[in-house]
Amino acid sequence: MTNDPSRNDLGAFLKARRCALSLRAIGLPESDSRRRVKGLRREEVALLAAISTDYYARIEQGRIQASTSVLNRIARVLYLDNDQREYMYKLAEKDTTGPRRCVPQKVQPQLRRLLEGLVNTPAIILGRRMDILAWNPLAAALMTDFAKIPEKKRNYVRLVFTDPPMRTLYADWQHVARTSVAQLRMEAARDSTDLRLCGLVGELSIHDEDFRRWWGDYQISVSTIGTKVLRHPVAGDLTLHWDTVTCPADPDQQLVTLTAEPGTPSHDGLRILASWAARTP
């Protein structure tokens, strides 16, 4: 394996994770001497993983491909959680044949039928790189008018950072934005040669300082359920639970729904929004 910095995402991830740790966090005594690096040194990771410093250095530099057993030991040393482990393994196994263009996705018929049947539930269909492939009227009323956005720019992460209504919609926009970046990180691990994904990351990195900083943090997320608090100009404050259904025919497509507990103000708010959307041309 050649040392190609442009493809050494695994090395960058390992470096980011060891820099985020401290000696005290892993049970080692703090040194009184001034450390030149933030977090753990390469030699400290190598020592705890029972490999040579040179071997670990070559892994970070992209000069060798580590075995699964070595990656497991490194994961334990760096205290990687399950999502971070999965991300690391995908980077270690990634295709290095070079960039390729992806064939545009078409919404799977079964997901389309489910979407169209959800009259009182906001729902969208996400594809690769978190592109928004389809939505129902209530989702547009809740989030933003997707139809007015050019198809090539209809991406959830891009909208979170660039669409004014989306920025003001979430009560904790920063948490939502950071989570979306962490999810996009996993998308990049699945296919780091996707030209559109590379272009999206480059665009947002140039135009948004928060995105650039959070992308460099190498935080990972593969959540499929969760809760979001929204402040909607028509429906008021809403606490909505989001769930995902993955399409068996195309695992790169997911139906995302947002629901509220029956009998709550949020549930009433969705009903008000549905009535408002039905009257709005």
Side-chain angles (χ1 to χ4, degrees):
M1 180 181 295
T2 59
N3 183 10
D4 185 346
S6 67
R7 297 179 186 173
N8 191 23
D9 291 333
L10 175 60
F13 172 67
L14 294 178
K15 181 178 179 181
R17 295 277 52 82
R18 69 177 172 84
C19 288
L21 288 176
S22 65
L23 293 178
R24 181 175 298 176
I26 62 173
L28 292 178
E30 294 282 1
S31 173
D32 292 332
S33 61
R34 186 174 181 179
R35 297 171 65 86
R36 291 185 302 169
V37 297
K38 181 181 178 181
L40 299 183
R41 299 188 182 101
R42 283 176 175 171
E43 54 265 31
E44 290 164 342
V45 175
L47 175 65
L48 293 169
I51 58 178
S52 72
T53 300
D54 178 67
Y55 188 76
Y56 179 76
R58 284 186 286 162
I59 294 173
E60 274 202 7
Q61 293 164 357
R63 294 163 54 196
I64 60 172
Q65 185 169 1
S67 65
T68 300
S69 62
V70 169
L71 289 175
N72 286 338
R73 296 205 295 273
I74 293 174
R76 285 195 296 270
V77 170
L78 298 180
Y79 286 83
L80 302 187
D81 60 28
N82 291 336
D83 291 347
Q84 290 169 335
R85 283 173 179 256
E86 181 183 355
Y87 178 77
M88 179 186 67
Y89 296 139
K90 287 185 180 298
L91 291 182
E93 298 169 359
K94 71 177 181 178
D95 180 13
T96 58
T97 56
R100 61 175 179 270
R101 297 183 181 276
C102 292
V103 177
Q105 283 180 291
K106 294 183 179 180
V107 177
Q108 290 293 319
Q110 56 269 52
L111 279 192
R112 175 74 72 179
R113 288 192 294 269
L114 284 174
L115 179 69
E116 292 173 349
L118 296 171
V119 179
N120 297 315
T121 300
I124 61 176
I125 296 176
L126 293 180
R128 290 188 298 263
R129 74 190 74 87
M130 301 174 71
D131 286 344
I132 299 172
L133 304 180
W135 59 92
N136 63 9
L138 194 51
L142 177 67
M143 299 182 191
T144 192
D145 191 347
F146 300 112
K148 291 184 177 179
I149 300 168
E151 183 178 354
K152 290 186 177 181
K153 293 186 177 294
R154 217 176 278 154
N155 175 275
Y156 180 77
V157 183
R158 177 186 275 114
L159 294 180
V160 166
F161 281 90
T162 65
D163 191 59
M166 292 281 275
R167 271 190 175 263
T168 58
L169 176 65
Y170 297 110
D172 189 352
W173 176 86
Q174 186 174 97
H175 174 73
V176 172
R178 293 195 70 164
T179 300
S180 72
V181 174
Q183 291 174 314
L184 192 65
R185 260 289 173 197
M186 183 58 79
E187 290 290 322
R190 293 190 179 104
D191 186 3
S192 61
T193 64
D194 183 342
L195 290 177
R196 284 189 61 182
L197 189 148
C198 294
L200 172 64
V201 172
E203 172 194 341
L204 294 178
S205 296
I206 292 172
H207 295 291
D208 194 283
E209 182 180 351
D210 287 332
F211 180 91
R212 183 168 62 251
R213 183 174 67 255
W214 295 334
W215 183 258
D217 287 343
Y218 278 86
Q219 297 297 326
I220 314 300
S221 175
V222 290
S223 301
T224 56
I225 59 173
T227 302
K228 286 184 169 65
V229 179
L230 290 72
R231 292 173 176 166
H232 196 273
V234 173
D237 291 349
L238 303 171
T239 299
L240 302 180
H241 308 286
W242 62 274
D243 298 87
T244 58
V245 176
T246 300
C247 179
D250 183 357
D252 286 336
Q253 292 189 32
Q254 293 182 324
L255 176 70
V256 182
T257 61
L258 295 110
T259 59
E261 292 286 347
T264 63
S266 296
H267 188 263
D268 294 338
L270 281 184
R271 294 176 61 184
I272 292 172
L273 183 62
S275 176
W276 174 82
R279 298 193 306 268
T280 303

